[in-house]
Amino acid sequence: MTKDKKDEAVKASSSPAAPVGLGSWLGDGASVRELVYALGLGVLIFFRPWYDGITFPDTNFTFLWGYVILIALLASRLLFAREPIRFVIPTGIFAAFLAAAFVLSAFTVQKDATYRSLLILTGHFLLFFVAINGIRSRRAVAIVLGFFVVTSFAETLWSHLHISYVMPATRVQIANDPTTLERFFGTSEMTADIKSRLESNRATGSLLFANALACWILTGIPIAVGAAVSAFLRLRASLRTTHDSGSAKASPVEGVSNARLTGIITAVVAFLALYCYFTFYMGFVFPGEGMFSHPVRAAFYCLVAPLALGWYANSVCRRHGLAIWLLYVQCGGMALFALLQAFGLMITYSRGGMLAALGGLALLAWLVAGAKLPRRGRVKSAARAAVALLCLGAFLACAALTVIPAPASAQQAPVTTRSQGPPLPTTSLDVKGENPSRAQFMNPATAFLRFSYWGSGIRMAADNFLTGVGLGNFGTVYPLYQYLGAGDVQQAHNDFLQALCETGILGFLLFTGFWVYFFVWGVLRIRAEESAPERWMLAGIFAGVIAFVLHSLVDFNFANPSLAALAFLMAGLFYARASQPGDAAIAKRYSPIAGVAVLVVGGLAAGLGYQATMPQRLVGDEIVCKTRLEGVKFICQRARALAGDSTQPVAIPDRMASLLFADQTDRESLGKLYERTSPTGNQMRPLAPGETPPRDTYLVFNDIADTRKKTLERVPLLLELIKESDGTWPYNPEMASHIWLWYDVLYNEASDPKDKLKYADACLDWARECVRRSPKQVPYSNLLGRSLWRRGSVEESVSQLRYYDQGLEEFRHTLELYPEGPLVYFEFASRLREYGEQLEKAGDHKRGQTLLSEAASVQKKAEEMQAEATRRITERNAG
């Protein structure tokens, strides 16, 4: 390309006719079907952070259905219109990684975790495929990014309101009503872990973990900076072009009508957005007060600001046109978005997130500074970009020091972990909450803790170098490789190391290769881009994805389905935005084969996902199942406590009672329904028979003994339903352990020895089923050992010793699965001591003394391990 042609291309890309971002959708000719793909992807990414894949695991398959619907639409075009697919190399690497994980699933240590992880990974592949093949224009990219910006904007605001108002209100509620703790956490004791979680002022938003929120936010910061600068450069070029050419307005009538319409639309959109925010904000800051209780604020948010923005939009459109106004919106909106995201990152107190964000911004500066520029002034432009981004980095650092409070005194107490220690009384809860101090922020304890995870992961990878342990199973076998004093985790806190552990060397090379190719291709593409505005836009998206990947070196972002979906979507959008028409290296005509392949993969994933979630649809999710079981335990517990006065009123939330007695008539036969008349008061209103119970309704039992009897009569029916639902997906060890818990309740409530024997046998059967489904998992091996021990305790024949011997063997096997876990050694010592004393009483002194001696040896080892673990934790926390 000659210099003249280069100049023409740069001028065209900077002209008003080819704006980017929010204005581009008016100017390029994307088809309706592409808008469908863009809107579909936008809606999916809009809802993704609010239904976090870890907090709400069942929603992962709901989003999978969304990906499958989009892939079905795209596959029809590939099959019948024979559209060429694009970016065969990264798609092939991703597909190979998925295929390798599928083949290696034959060697998994637990099928359920691997199958579910495979389905989620398949969804990410389909999402990536739709993004790079369905999105083919700037307009479509802008639509998806717009949805991302709106949901990230709302997520950040919610995070601030959550730690500033919701968490203090929750602490006050728990301090005033200790039973709230039991409803929220299933315990009446204020443990150190719960206290730490409640008092922490680290923002988590809807993503459960502060580091997860930080990862979501940091991805948007480089994107916002790139989009804002890109819009600014285009806006400046467009205004200069209009001024130099002296062009007049196209048509006074048409221009005035368009300007007025734009002003009205801007005012209405601004009013709706500010009204929603203002009323939401008022609900937290001034609960119970109307918006007109603060007329100045209400007038500003709901009248002055919308009218001012509408007037300004009208003025700009009258003078320069709609395209220029949209560039104003993109430039100002993305700059504001960048600042808000920086604030959101600060209140997460995530050091890894801040470092990854700075790394992404440094990469952005390097890309825009080192790329070829079409005109003179390369050094000056590079310096400007570097200085601007360094200033932004300095702003982030200063903000961190501002947000993080200094120690209260120079004699600050040493930092200690709150993960251990005896239960704390409820009254010790600090209602104000606690921000991490500077000393805690600078303490390298969590970094050292990650070193222990990585050391365990390296050992795990070495033992399973070729096959891995199966997707989703790092936490399953982690205790086998856990160092003494290391934290109990489910993820490696390094996604590349976790890929090596779970999918072996082949999976690791493919996963790493996907991101290495993305980095190399992206850098070369951006450096070849000669349009400064487009280079900023591409570099912003690219740097956001790389910042995500950098953060994944110290956290488990790809193990979180919500975050992984964001990364693969943004990677696909970058490829789509960076593609150029007619590039033979990008577009390949394998469309019929690819269409059939993705359609088959999507159909299988949807069917298996539906099958995997069948138990939840039949009996409810984990929370519902736990609540139903806790309801039975509560009724039985209260019946025992009030054995002398069974007619004393006992209340239970009606939503819990309805899980046991779905028919309202059955519940009303057991007691009386009452509605709480005030959220904060204790006044109750009785409901009339047959009246629909409101949400805040309680069932007060007439006779708790009679209620217990009827509840236990219903339990076998519930158990059959649960077992039937479990049969639809007989791989989940958690469901098997849940069934064990039901039989455990029946065993504890049974008084007839025959019934106890029957339920002990049932517990033993389901404990064995747990081990069959997950043979390498410590809790299930321990559960089998305790079930064998219980079975021996109710056996009256000589077979009793056989059950005890099998129980000891299972406890020994637990030690093999968790060789550096002091607690399992303490329990094994206790079982040896108990068995040895029984043998002593039975007259078998030789074997009894042998077991007692072994118990003493194991007890000593457990105490030594516990002391050493405590010492290591103390040293690590001290830095």
Side-chain angles (χ1 to χ4, degrees):
M1 182 181 290
T2 64
K3 183 178 184 300
D4 293 338
K5 290 184 178 180
K6 289 181 180 179
D7 293 342
E8 291 176 2
V10 173
K11 183 177 180 181
S13 66
S14 302
S15 65
V20 298
L22 297 177
S24 65
W25 70 277
L26 293 175
D28 64 32
S31 63
V32 174
R33 64 178 178 275
E34 188 177 2
L35 293 180
V36 172
Y37 301 140
L39 290 173
L41 293 174
V43 169
L44 290 171
I45 202 61
F46 178 84
F47 287 107
R48 205 60 182 97
W50 304 98
Y51 295 94
D52 175 39
I54 293 181
T55 315
F56 307 100
D58 295 337
T59 62
N60 293 323
F61 299 99
T62 303
F63 284 98
L64 174 61
W65 272 98
Y67 307 149
V68 170
I69 292 173
L70 291 177
I71 207 70
L73 296 175
L74 179 60
S76 65
R77 295 293 304 175
L78 298 177
L79 286 172
F80 301 112
R82 293 181 175 270
E83 290 182 350
I85 65 171
R86 306 191 300 172
F87 299 100
V88 174
I89 294 178
T91 303
I93 297 174
F94 199 161
F97 174 63
L98 180 61
F102 175 76
V103 172
L104 294 172
S105 66
F107 304 96
T108 182
V109 299
Q110 187 198 116
K111 293 181 178 179
D112 180 70
T114 296
Y115 290 167
R116 292 176 184 270
S117 298
L118 271 173
L119 293 175
I120 295 171
L121 181 63
T122 302
H124 296 329
F125 172 75
L126 300 178
L127 175 68
F128 177 75
F129 193 87
V130 171
I132 61 174
N133 289 286
I135 305 298
R136 303 190 178 216
S137 68
R138 292 178 177 178
R139 171 176 66 178
V141 173
I143 290 174
V144 181
L145 288 179
F147 277 97
F148 165 70
V149 169
V150 172
T151 195
S152 298
F153 201 100
E155 181 72 44
T156 307
L157 290 177
W158 163 244
S159 302
H160 171 62
L161 293 174
H162 183 259
I163 63 171
S164 299
Y165 302 105
V166 177
M167 286 306 297
T170 302
R171 298 181 195 115
V172 171
Q173 183 179 2
I174 292 176
N176 295 334
D177 182 10
T179 61
T180 307
L181 191 67
E182 188 168 359
R183 293 199 300 270
F184 286 171
F185 296 94
T187 178
S188 58
E189 297 291 342
M190 178 63 69
T191 63
D193 179 63
I194 295 176
K195 176 180 170 65
S196 176
R197 290 169 61 185
L198 286 173
E199 290 183 347
S200 174
N201 280 336
R202 295 184 65 189
T204 61
S206 62
L207 288 159
L208 185 63
F209 300 107
N211 290 340
L213 176 63
C215 182
W216 184 281
I217 289 175
L218 69 88
T219 305
I221 293 177
I223 295 175
V225 173
V229 177
S230 175
F232 172 76
L233 294 177
R234 292 184 185 275
L235 178 61
R236 184 178 62 177
S238 299
L239 293 176
R240 285 178 177 175
T241 302
T242 303
H243 181 269
D244 294 340
S245 63
S247 59
K249 300 172 186 176
S251 169
V253 176
E254 181 182 355
V256 170
S257 63
N258 284 339
R260 288 176 179 173
L261 180 60
T262 303
I264 292 173
I265 293 175
T266 302
V268 170
V269 171
F271 168 76
L272 293 176
L274 292 174
Y275 174 79
C276 291
Y277 169 73
F278 179 64
T279 53
F280 195 66
Y281 170 81
M282 288 284 294
F284 287 103
V285 182
F286 306 105
E289 298 184 18
M291 60 181 297
F292 293 108
S293 300
H294 302 271
V296 176
R297 294 185 181 183
F300 173 78
Y301 281 102
C302 302
L303 184 63
V304 176
L307 290 178
L309 289 173
W311 172 82
Y312 186 63
N314 176 61
S315 301
V316 172
C317 287
R318 281 175 181 269
R319 184 173 181 180
H320 302 291
L322 177 62
I324 298 299
W325 165 245
L326 291 176
L327 286 175
Y328 270 109
V329 171
Q330 180 181 339
C331 183
M334 296 304 285
L336 176 62
F337 177 61
L339 293 175
L340 181 65
Q341 294 297 88
F343 168 74
L345 182 60
M346 291 303 103
I347 61 177
T348 65
Y349 296 93
S350 173
R351 292 170 293 184
M354 295 176 189
L355 291 174
L358 290 175
L361 291 174
L363 175 62
L364 175 61
W366 175 73
L367 288 172
V368 297
K372 298 178 181 178
L373 296 175
R375 298 183 184 277
R376 293 180 301 175
R378 178 178 178 181
V379 176
K380 184 183 293 185
S381 298
R384 288 176 180 173
V387 169
L389 292 178
L390 286 175
C391 289
L392 181 58
F395 165 77
L396 294 176
C398 293
L401 295 176
T402 302
V403 173
I404 301 170
S409 64
Q411 302 297 326
Q412 184 180 10
V415 179
T416 58
T417 180
R418 296 188 178 218
S419 60
Q420 297 184 1
L424 299 170
T426 303
T427 54
S428 66
L429 185 65
D430 183 4
V431 175
K432 294 182 179 179
E434 178 183 355
N435 294 340
S437 65
R438 290 181 185 174
Q440 290 172 319
F441 191 77
M442 299 303 296
N443 192 331
T446 57
F448 293 154
L449 200 58
R450 278 170 167 75
F451 293 155
S452 69
Y453 306 155
W454 299 341
S456 300
I458 291 172
R459 294 169 58 195
M460 186 189 304
D463 283 356
N464 304 274
F465 188 72
L466 296 178
T467 63
V469 297
L471 273 181
N473 279 315
F474 180 89
T476 302
V477 297
Y478 172 73
L480 179 61
Y481 303 97
Q482 183 177 0
Y483 287 102
L484 185 64
D488 296 324
V489 293
Q490 294 295 312
Q491 314 296 341
H493 288 71
N494 182 313
D495 286 315
F496 292 88
L497 175 59
Q498 187 153 333
L500 177 62
C501 294
E502 295 183 348
T503 60
I505 183 62
L506 178 59
F508 168 77
L509 291 176
L510 290 171
F511 179 75
T512 305
F514 176 86
W515 292 111
V516 169
Y517 179 87
F518 175 83
F519 180 81
V520 174
W521 189 92
V523 169
L524 294 177
R525 171 65 183 85
I526 294 170
R527 291 176 69 87
E529 178 58 51
E530 297 178 341
S531 168
E534 183 64 12
R535 186 168 59 251
W536 272 95
M537 191 70 205
L538 290 175
I541 301 174
F542 179 79
V545 177
I546 295 301
F548 182 103
V549 176
L550 288 175
H551 189 250
S552 301
L553 294 173
V554 295
D555 227 304
F556 51 95
N557 302 326
F558 285 98
N560 186 324
S562 297
L563 296 178
L566 175 66
F568 289 118
L569 175 61
M570 290 301 169
L573 290 180
F574 171 76
Y575 280 124
R577 177 84 188 209
S579 63
Q580 296 174 330
D583 193 335
I586 294 176
K588 299 291 185 181
R589 286 198 173 276
Y590 301 130
S591 55
I593 299 175
V596 172
V598 296
L599 198 58
V600 170
V601 170
L604 289 175
L608 291 174
Y610 181 84
Q611 188 73 15
T613 56
M614 183 69 76
Q616 286 77 19
R617 286 192 299 276
L618 293 175
V619 296
D621 58 17
E622 181 183 359
I623 296 177
V624 171
C625 290
K626 181 180 178 181
T627 303
R628 184 185 293 115
L629 182 64
E630 290 300 321
V632 175
K633 290 182 177 180
F634 173 79
I635 291 172
C636 294
Q637 179 186 14
R638 297 306 299 159
R640 285 195 300 271
L642 300 174
D645 186 10
S646 62
T647 59
Q648 182 174 335
V650 175
I652 187 174
D654 184 60
R655 57 181 176 79
M656 178 182 286
S658 64
L659 297 176
L660 302 174
F661 303 92
D663 193 335
Q664 184 175 338
T665 305
D666 292 339
R667 300 200 300 277
E668 290 176 343
S669 67
L670 297 174
K672 187 70 175 177
L673 291 172
Y674 290 86
E675 175 193 5
R676 188 186 294 272
T677 58
S678 172
T680 58
N682 295 322
Q683 297 297 322
M684 308 291 286
R685 178 186 71 86
L687 269 63
E691 181 180 352
T692 302
R695 178 174 178 82
D696 197 10
T697 303
Y698 286 82
L699 175 62
V700 180
F701 298 120
N702 298 327
D703 189 322
I704 190 63
D706 180 63
T707 301
R708 172 186 175 275
K709 178 183 177 182
K710 293 181 178 179
T711 300
L712 293 177
E713 290 174 352
R714 179 149 302 201
V715 167
L717 299 176
L718 293 172
L719 253 175
E720 288 304 315
L721 177 62
I722 295 172
K723 289 194 292 185
E724 182 180 351
S725 68
D726 175 73
T728 62
W729 183 261
Y731 305 107
N732 189 351
E734 292 183 3
M735 183 60 77
S737 66
H738 180 69
I739 296 174
W740 184 94
L741 289 172
W742 279 101
Y743 279 113
D744 179 63
V745 170
L746 292 175
Y747 173 85
N748 291 325
E749 295 301 320
S751 55
D752 190 331
K754 292 182 179 180
D755 289 338
K756 279 193 170 293
L757 183 62
K758 179 178 67 174
Y759 296 136
D761 280 332
C763 286
L764 180 57
D765 291 340
W766 282 100
R768 284 172 173 157
E769 180 64 15
C770 289
V771 172
R772 186 191 70 80
R773 297 182 183 187
S774 186
K776 298 288 188 179
Q777 207 157 354
V778 173
Y780 300 131
S781 178
N782 183 267
L783 183 68
L784 178 55
R786 288 190 283 120
S787 298
L788 286 165
W789 207 262
R790 170 187 286 176
R791 182 61 182 82
S793 66
V794 298
E795 180 62 47
E796 297 179 353
S797 66
V798 294
S799 299
Q800 183 184 55
L801 299 182
R802 177 171 59 87
Y803 286 113
Y804 283 148
D805 290 337
Q806 291 177 358
L808 284 182
E809 289 304 313
E810 195 60 39
F811 285 123
R812 283 195 174 91
H813 180 60
T814 304
L815 298 184
E816 296 173 1
L817 297 178
Y818 198 2
E820 298 198 23
L823 294 181
V824 296
Y825 281 86
F826 278 121
E827 180 164 8
F828 184 48
S830 175
R831 302 295 181 178
L832 287 169
R833 191 179 306 109
E834 179 184 350
Y835 193 16
E837 291 174 353
Q838 290 187 8
L839 290 175
E840 281 280 316
K841 294 179 180 178
D844 191 349
H845 300 289
K846 180 178 180 181
R847 192 178 178 203
Q849 284 298 322
T850 300
L851 293 179
L852 290 175
S853 298
E854 185 180 2
S857 176
V858 173
Q859 178 75 20
K860 181 180 179 181
K861 182 176 182 179
E863 292 173 352
E864 292 174 351
M865 293 174 67
Q866 183 69 42
E868 178 63 18
T870 302
R871 184 188 66 79
R872 294 185 182 184
I873 292 173
T874 303
E875 290 181 354
R876 182 172 64 236
N877 290 336

